[in-house]
Amino acid sequence: MEKETIEILDVKGAETTSLLNHNTEEIPLVQVTQLPSGFKGYPKGTQISYRPITLGELEALNSDEMDATRAVAMLLKSIHCTTLNAEDLYYWDIMYIGIQRKLMAFGNTKGTIYNICPKCGKMVSKSFEYTELAFKELQAPDLPMRMTVSGKELEFKPLTMKQFLQIEVEQGELGVYARMIANLEFEEAYKLVKNAIGVDIKKLRFADQQLDYGIKPFKVKCPNPITIDNPNFDEKQGHSEQNPKQIVQLCNEEVVLEVRSPFEVVFPEDEFDGNLEFEIQYG
């Protein structure tokens, strides 16, 4: 049974704390009180906070020189953790914090995600408000998750942001499995995963399932028109306007739309729409 989801917080009036020893610019930090991981597997007493997006950061993110690596580095620099480096927090926890920062800067903005319908092959899109986003909770009741695989006692944890950035395309899912193993060096873990057989394959896939969490996908019905054979076509009458051989109807296939790329929801463009939510006086 799927666990309760974590909703995107309403950040208006969010609690801030002046951890000025972590922030030389003296910008108040927002304390993180919940995460999709439930703080599982982090050192006891871990406290996490983040700096809201500044105008200077927004300008930098929208510059021609900005790329994915620099944008992620900027996000990590805005996050402060008492027990770990920000890059050692779980990938989807970082994404959650990134969305909170964007909401604090712009309010309930809108986004659009896309996918191809598996039935008709046409593009399907959905516009959504950020407060519609919800995160799946981590399935594992506690971390690390321990199992014996290939005769070794292994400890599994979700991918950290650092590990996510180290994934190489040619390693595929094997690389992901290997980086989830917390108590082995990557080379040894990758060899173990690559050579897994029998029940060990099931164990690794189960670990991946237990450690999988993130933004819940949207499910929509494909609205695109498709042409099909008319089930009521009368061959004796032949094709006519009243008795068409083919008819047009909505595809109506269920399409899953997933938010996978952080650029889809985390890194802001300049989204000021002219709506003022504050008092202003002139003269």
Side-chain angles (χ1 to χ4, degrees):
M1 182 176 177
E2 186 173 322
K3 292 192 175 184
E4 183 181 351
T5 58
I6 299 294
E7 304 297 330
I8 297 297
L9 294 176
D10 180 358
V11 296
K12 291 184 179 179
E15 179 184 356
T16 60
T17 179
S18 297
L19 300 178
L20 300 185
N21 55 319
H22 290 299
N23 193 337
T24 56
E25 298 175 8
E26 299 190 357
I27 299 172
L29 302 181
V30 179
Q31 193 74 38
V32 177
T33 58
Q34 69 176 30
L35 288 171
S37 70
F39 290 84
K40 297 170 187 173
Y42 292 147
K44 187 176 180 179
T46 293
Q47 294 184 27
I48 302 171
S49 54
Y50 62 88
R51 186 190 69 241
I53 296 173
T54 65
L55 182 57
E57 184 177 359
L58 181 61
E59 290 297 309
L61 285 168
N62 284 282
S63 70
D64 293 336
E65 292 77 23
M66 184 57 59
D67 56 24
T69 301
R70 292 177 183 176
V72 170
M74 187 175 292
L75 172 60
L76 293 175
K77 191 175 180 181
S78 73
I79 298 171
H80 306 277
C81 180
T82 57
T83 59
L84 298 167
N85 293 325
E87 65 181 6
D88 293 321
L89 299 175
Y90 305 139
Y91 170 80
W92 279 113
D93 283 352
I94 294 288
M95 292 298 100
Y96 177 83
I97 293 170
I99 292 172
Q100 296 300 142
R101 294 182 75 228
K102 188 169 182 178
L103 276 171
M104 177 164 278
F106 300 107
N108 188 20
T109 56
K110 295 182 179 181
T112 305
I113 48 178
Y114 307 86
N115 201 359
I116 300 296
C117 174
K119 181 178 179 179
C120 69
K122 297 179 181 178
M123 183 72 72
V124 176
S125 65
K126 174 179 171 58
S127 295
F128 63 91
E129 294 186 344
Y130 272 56
T131 50
E132 292 183 75
L133 296 174
F135 277 71
K136 296 179 290 184
E137 273 193 337
L138 197 60
Q139 294 291 308
D142 202 358
L143 293 174
M145 176 182 173
R146 294 183 175 88
M147 284 193 298
T148 300
V149 179
S150 299
K152 291 183 179 289
E153 183 74 21
L154 301 182
E155 296 181 358
F156 295 85
K157 285 187 175 184
L159 290 182
T160 65
M161 175 58 82
K162 181 178 180 179
Q163 291 171 323
F164 177 82
L165 295 174
Q166 291 171 340
I167 292 174
E168 298 178 11
V169 175
E170 61 269 17
Q171 294 168 349
E173 285 296 313
L174 297 181
V176 175
Y177 289 162
R179 294 190 190 281
M180 291 191 303
I181 299 174
N183 61 332
L184 291 181
E185 293 295 327
F186 174 74
E187 289 75 15
E188 183 180 357
Y190 186 79
K191 183 177 180 181
L192 182 149
V193 167
K194 186 177 181 180
N195 294 324
I197 59 174
V199 70
D200 287 337
I201 296 175
K202 293 183 178 180
K203 288 180 179 180
L204 291 169
R205 288 178 174 168
F206 179 74
D208 181 50
Q209 181 186 55
Q210 287 288 293
L211 300 179
D212 178 44
Y213 70 111
I215 299 175
K216 289 186 68 176
F218 292 100
K219 295 180 180 180
V220 300
K221 297 292 185 179
C222 177
N224 292 304
I226 58 172
T227 301
I228 64 169
D229 292 334
N230 183 0
N232 300 315
F233 178 66
D234 189 332
E235 291 279 359
K236 293 181 179 180
Q237 291 185 20
H239 174 76
S240 66
E241 186 175 342
Q242 291 73 30
N243 183 46
K245 191 171 184 178
Q246 292 184 314
I247 58 175
V248 177
Q249 67 177 30
L250 295 181
C251 175
N252 216 34
E253 180 78 2
E254 184 174 81
V255 181
V256 178
L257 302 173
E258 294 187 281
V259 179
R260 284 296 181 183
S261 168
F263 276 99
E264 292 183 79
V265 291
V266 171
F267 298 114
E269 297 177 357
D270 197 338
E271 301 185 22
F272 177 59
D273 58 8
N275 293 324
L276 303 181
E277 298 180 354
F278 49 84
E279 182 181 348
I280 186 169
Q281 296 178 352
Y282 295 98

